[in-house]
Amino acid sequence: AIILKWHGLYQQKPIDSGLFMLRIKLPNGIIKFDQLKTILNISRRVGLNIIDLTTRQNIQLRSIELENLPFVFSELSKSGLFSHGSCGDNVRNVIGCPISGLSNGKMEVVNTIPLAKKITTSFLANPNYANLPRKFKIALCGCTRHCVPYEINDIGLVATTNNNDNIGYQLFAGGGLSSQPQIAKNLNIWIPQENIIETITKIIDIFNDFGNRFNRKKARLKHLISDWGTDKFLMELENRLNKPLYFENYLNNETFSKVDHMEIHPQKDPNYCYIGLPVKVGRISSDQLEKLIDIISIYKDVGIRITHYQNIIITNIPVNQISRVIENLRFVDFLNKNNSWSGKVISCTGKEFCNRALTETKNIGVKIIDALDKFKLDDDITIGISGCSNDCGQNRISDIGIQGVYSKSDDSSNEKFNISVKKNGNNNYFNELIMKKINKNELDTLILNILTDYSSRKLKNETFNNYASRCLSEEF
């Protein structure tokens, strides 16, 4: 099982089915057009015609049989794709802003794509890092909007400049979700660009040597830092680097921004635009992907990027072709609504395929999106759905979090969910429970009622988080 995970494979539900999910790493969410064709081919020939996008900017394929793995890995290799280390106790996919290098303006400090690729190459298929105490996640943030959730990663690197306008990264460490969520600590360390790989390697070495290998519930880097304290951790890091750290903090803003770059935006090159496509609960059928490929195949430099919110960005569309592309995307069930909730609802896999999930999620997410179809708000409100406490749907950092919980009933229609909301305040990065064990069939109406109540009762210029602080409690 460990070897299979090392190659990016997880057993699907039911566990004795002999079918596997294959997760493909895409550093910074970047995938080439020809690689997208490879994904389609594999899904068509040996998969389930389902392509799932993840919150780590990966792509997941379903129902792969072991006998088909030689074909799958051969196709991936020929196209430059890989799955090593995307599952199990490895260095997972490095995430970053999906519009790195495209931003039209002064918001971008640095393009994180080259660094994401360097980090990936440093640990890819490296046996020295194939059996860490637990999974290890890295996030890069290269823009001032901070649209990447670096706070919930083992290492978060936020680009900034020092007093001499040299580019480097502020170091955050020890973040994570699951049943013991924790925000990464700003260690007040500034790392020059040229020292990033060495510093990350030493941090992972420390984790590899001292992480808890006896209790997986206490095995993440956040637990090691909590046990040691930041002073001891930084002393060990400095000793291993054999040179002093820069104890500086050049950040002015450490607030996570809910930005996913949807709709149409100009690129640095004024001849091109990028288009953000909302994807319902992060799932695309092979038919949809084939139609998307047909629409954009005529454009020479077109590219695809996966976002943290399980959506798609199409890059390098000629400005004079935007109207044509948009019309075609609407025709094939993309961009059907001007203010779609499709791109604002994150969902984990759920018990349809996942052996750990207690409830379904994807179909619930679709029902909620459909219920909100005609309900329009200007606010960037996010909804996260997870089928268990592992929080793969990131419900704990969403404005409205929905988590599947254990129910004694074997009736799938009676699956239960807890509801949480994010309230305003510096200490409220994670949301707060307001409802327990809600029936599955009540969720879409309940979410609609919450948002309707917000729309009717909110004060002037009041955000959903402020409204939640004022109006929503366990008595709601």
Side-chain angles (χ1 to χ4, degrees):
I2 292 175
I3 294 175
L4 291 172
K5 291 176 183 177
W6 191 69
H7 285 283
L9 294 160
Y10 277 137
Q11 289 176 286
Q12 280 186 193
K13 189 175 185 177
I15 201 164
D16 58 354
S17 66
L19 300 176
F20 290 82
M21 177 273 286
L22 174 69
R23 182 180 293 155
I24 300 164
K25 271 186 172 181
L26 302 174
N28 216 118
I30 309 298
I31 182 168
K32 298 176 181 177
F33 181 72
D34 287 343
Q35 293 174 332
L36 202 62
K37 291 181 179 178
T38 298
I39 298 293
L40 175 62
N41 183 39
I42 294 173
S43 179
R44 284 268 197 227
R45 288 188 59 179
V46 299
L48 197 62
N49 291 312
I50 288 175
I51 297 96
D52 280 342
L53 315 180
T54 80
T55 57
R56 291 207 70 77
Q57 299 174 297
N58 298 299
I59 282 178
Q60 295 182 161
L61 300 178
R62 298 287 172 192
S63 298
I64 307 292
E65 296 179 349
L66 286 177
E67 62 189 36
N68 290 322
L69 288 180
F71 163 76
V72 171
F73 288 132
S74 173
E75 290 297 297
L76 293 179
S77 179
K78 284 189 292 186
S79 66
L81 291 168
F82 46 84
S83 61
H84 296 301
S86 59
C87 300
D89 299 328
N90 293 274
V91 178
R92 299 292 185 87
N93 195 44
V94 180
I95 66 170
C97 176
I99 63 161
S100 289
L102 298 177
S103 181
N104 183 25
K106 298 180 179 180
M107 291 183 296
E108 185 169 80
V109 179
V110 65
N111 179 356
T112 58
I113 295 173
L115 179 57
K117 291 180 177 179
K118 284 183 181 179
I119 295 172
T120 302
T121 302
S122 298
F123 300 101
L124 185 66
N126 187 332
N128 295 324
Y129 302 97
N131 187 28
L132 299 175
R134 201 71 169 81
K135 59 189 174 184
F136 199 92
K137 297 181 177 181
I138 300 171
L140 307 177
C141 183
C143 69
T144 58
R145 296 174 81 171
H146 296 176
C147 59
V148 178
Y150 55 87
E151 300 98 324
I152 57 168
N153 283 258
D154 295 279
I155 291 178
L157 296 168
V158 182
T160 184
T161 53
N162 65 6
N163 294 330
N164 296 320
D165 289 331
N166 297 316
I167 295 174
Y169 290 83
Q170 293 292 154
L171 175 61
F172 290 74
L177 292 177
S178 194
S179 57
Q180 301 173 56
Q182 187 166 303
I183 302 172
K185 295 177 174 63
N186 184 347
L187 300 181
N188 295 308
I189 299 296
W190 185 81
I191 309 171
Q193 283 194 100
E194 60 271 18
N195 295 346
I196 288 293
I197 299 297
E198 181 185 16
T199 304
I200 288 176
T201 302
K202 296 303 182 184
I203 290 174
I204 298 177
D205 286 341
I206 293 171
F207 176 58
N208 205 7
D209 290 343
F210 296 103
N212 192 327
R213 292 186 180 273
F214 303 100
N215 184 355
R216 290 184 65 81
K217 293 182 179 180
K218 298 287 185 180
R220 292 290 294 274
L221 181 67
K222 62 185 178 183
H223 299 111
L224 179 62
I225 293 177
S226 295
D227 290 344
W228 277 14
T230 55
D231 289 344
K232 179 179 178 179
F233 178 77
L234 290 175
M235 185 182 300
E236 179 69 24
L237 177 59
E238 199 167 45
N239 288 339
R240 294 199 178 212
L241 288 169
N242 198 28
K243 56 187 171 186
L245 294 166
Y246 295 93
F247 286 88
E248 300 285 353
N249 181 14
Y250 296 108
L251 280 181
N252 296 318
N253 177 17
E254 297 177 15
T255 302
F256 173 47
S257 173
K258 297 173 293 186
V259 177
D260 203 31
H261 313 289
M262 292 293 96
E263 302 178 351
I264 306 167
H265 300 272
Q267 295 182 190
K268 280 183 179 178
D269 185 334
N271 296 309
Y272 295 94
C273 287
Y274 67 84
I275 304 173
L277 297 183
V279 177
K280 264 190 180 181
V281 295
R283 175 162 289 176
I284 304 175
S285 69
S286 294
D287 287 344
Q288 276 185 300
L289 182 58
E290 185 174 32
K291 291 173 183 175
L292 176 60
I293 289 172
D294 287 343
I295 290 170
I296 62 177
S297 62
I298 62 174
Y299 305 110
K300 179 181 177 182
D301 299 317
V302 70
I304 296 289
R305 302 185 179 190
I306 310 301
T307 81
H308 161 68
Y309 288 97
Q310 302 175 324
N311 295 315
I312 286 176
I313 290 176
I314 308 174
T315 65
N316 297 327
I317 298 296
V319 171
N320 61 5
Q321 295 293 312
I322 287 294
S323 297
R324 176 183 177 182
V325 173
I326 292 297
E327 188 59 34
N328 287 334
L329 290 169
R330 288 198 179 106
F331 182 73
V332 296
D333 202 26
F334 284 108
L335 293 178
N336 278 340
K337 302 291 183 297
N338 291 328
N339 187 16
S340 174
W341 283 85
S342 294
K344 299 177 182 179
V345 179
I346 293 175
S347 169
C348 76
T349 298
K351 75 173 189 179
E352 179 183 9
F353 297 116
C354 178
N355 287 288
R356 294 186 177 183
L358 303 171
T359 63
E360 70 166 298
T361 55
K362 294 290 188 185
N363 291 333
I364 288 170
V366 171
K367 281 188 68 177
I368 290 173
I369 291 169
D370 291 343
L372 299 176
D373 185 44
K374 296 180 181 179
F375 186 85
K376 299 189 186 303
L377 283 173
D378 294 330
D379 309 51
D380 282 321
I381 296 173
T382 57
I383 300 172
I385 309 172
S386 296
C388 72
S389 62
N390 286 326
D391 202 5
C392 296
Q394 300 194 344
N395 57 280
R396 285 183 177 85
I397 63 170
S398 299
D399 293 305
I400 300 175
I402 302 171
Q403 179 188 320
V405 293
Y406 175 74
S407 173
K408 292 182 180 180
S409 173
D410 292 328
D411 182 3
S412 62
S413 65
N414 198 35
E415 292 174 358
K416 303 292 186 181
F417 294 82
N418 289 348
I419 311 297
S420 301
V421 293
K422 184 177 284 190
K423 298 186 177 182
N424 191 48
N426 293 330
N427 296 321
N428 291 333
Y429 183 81
F430 300 113
N431 50 32
E432 183 179 308
L433 182 68
I434 61 167
M435 290 183 175
K436 296 179 180 179
K437 295 193 174 181
I438 304 300
N439 285 340
K440 176 176 73 174
N441 295 333
E442 300 174 15
L443 284 173
D444 52 341
T445 301
L446 174 61
I447 301 304
L448 178 59
N449 287 344
I450 290 175
L451 293 175
T452 301
D453 188 70
Y454 164 55
S455 181
S456 63
R457 296 175 63 190
K458 72 174 183 177
L459 306 177
K460 185 178 180 180
N461 298 323
E462 186 175 39
T463 66
F464 178 81
N465 305 134
N466 287 333
Y467 153 81
S469 301
R470 182 171 60 87
C471 300
L472 299 185
S473 66
E474 286 196 36
E475 289 76 37
F476 178 82

